[in-house]
Structures are given as C-alpha cells and as structure tokens.
Amino acid sequence: DKKVIVLKKYYSANSQKISDRQVEPIKLTDNYTSLVAFEISSESIKYFNLERITDVQIKNQGIANESKHKDVNPDVFGFGEKEKSYKLVMKMSLRAWLFLKDEYPMTVSYTKKDKKSGQYILKTTVYSLIPAKRFAKGLPGEIEFL
C-alpha cells in the first residue's frame, strides 16, 4: 500500500540494540528471511531479518522517499550491494555444507561437489566477509578459504 511501517522492538546484531525502526518497505528477499526497506532515520537501504522483528505497525503515512528506493540484490548471506565486493571460495566438508545450506539457503546454487576430494566448494561474490568467517569459526577444521 506504499505506507510507512514501524518495526517494533527490532533486535539489531549490528548496533546491538533493541529499538523501533521507521521504514519504507521495498520488498522481501527471495528466500523470505529479510525485509529490504528504506530506513528513514539513516536515509539508507537496509536488510531487516524477519525473525528479529517483534511486531509491525502500519502508519497512515505514505512513503516519501520512493526515488531513493534502489533495486538491491543481496549476496548469499543477505548483505546488500556495497561499493566493495569480495570473491569468496570456501572448501568444506559435507557436514559444513549441510549446515551452510540450512542457515544460508541462497548458497546452494553456488556450491558444487568436488568429485576428486568429495569436498564442497562455494564460489560466489559477497559484500561482507564477516558472515563467512563467523560461520567457519563454528566448524574448526571443516572449512578452508581458498
């Protein structure tokens, strides 16, 4: 309906705060895990994890910043396009790959099984290396960055 909404008690991993966020919704990500929205206070496009939203309030206020709504394409970890990108190649065990595809379903189409080693190789471009590093930390010895 092109209305402003308030994400009530949003749990932010970045700011480590719980707060209300007034946004102009743009779309849901392809895997329906995040809302892409223009945050009015920061005047920027952000991804809001649906599981971290306590409630949604629809305001009687129409959106005013539609010209700033860019069509954004997230990487496989849900990070939006930025000026800097990174080529990511991860070699992993079957166990690591199963956890990766469960936690980050968009990685599936970028992962192939190496017939020689039996390992799984993820090759993609990302806008932040933080999620991949954090994921690998939880599975020591099962992931190698190439």
Side-chain angles (χ1 to χ4, degrees):
D1 292 337
K2 295 193 177 195
K3 298 216 184 241
V4 171
I5 63 173
V6 179
L7 307 177
K8 304 295 281 182
K9 294 183 182 176
Y10 181 74
Y11 289 73
S12 173
N14 290 331
S15 70
Q16 298 184 34
K17 293 181 182 175
I18 302 168
S19 61
D20 293 350
R21 305 288 189 95
Q22 189 162 291
V23 302
E24 296 178 356
I26 298 171
K27 68 178 184 178
L28 293 169
T29 55
D30 290 342
N31 59 355
Y32 299 100
T33 58
S34 298
L35 169 68
V36 181
F38 179 81
E39 184 180 45
I40 296 169
S41 64
S42 66
E43 293 196 0
S44 62
I45 306 273
K46 293 189 176 180
Y47 288 72
F48 296 94
N49 185 317
L50 296 183
E51 291 182 0
R52 296 184 191 156
I53 301 169
T54 303
D55 198 8
V56 175
Q57 174 188 17
I58 302 170
K59 300 194 74 156
N60 272 340
Q61 174 186 347
I63 62 173
N65 299 288
E66 193 166 10
S67 64
K68 297 176 183 175
H69 296 190
K70 298 178 201 158
D71 188 17
V72 290
N73 296 307
D75 66 19
V76 295
F77 297 107
F79 275 72
E81 292 180 62
K82 297 193 174 154
E83 293 171 13
K84 191 166 187 174
S85 63
Y86 307 89
K87 296 285 183 197
L88 176 65
V89 181
M90 284 172 38
K91 183 166 76 170
M92 64 198 110
S93 67
L94 171 63
R95 179 174 178 247
W97 179 70
L98 290 171
F99 287 145
L100 182 72
K101 76 181 191 82
D102 289 347
E103 192 168 336
Y104 299 102
M106 292 191 301
T107 61
V108 171
S109 61
Y110 297 94
T111 306
K112 304 286 182 232
K113 184 176 182 180
D114 182 53
K115 291 178 183 171
K116 290 181 183 176
S117 69
Q119 299 267 299
Y120 290 80
I121 311 289
L122 169 69
K123 290 183 184 179
T124 188
T125 300
V126 295
Y127 302 111
S128 173
L129 293 171
I130 293 170
K133 289 178 181 179
R134 184 179 59 221
F135 180 78
K137 223 175 177 180
L139 294 161
E142 296 195 46
I143 296 174
E144 179 183 351
F145 291 95
L146 305 175

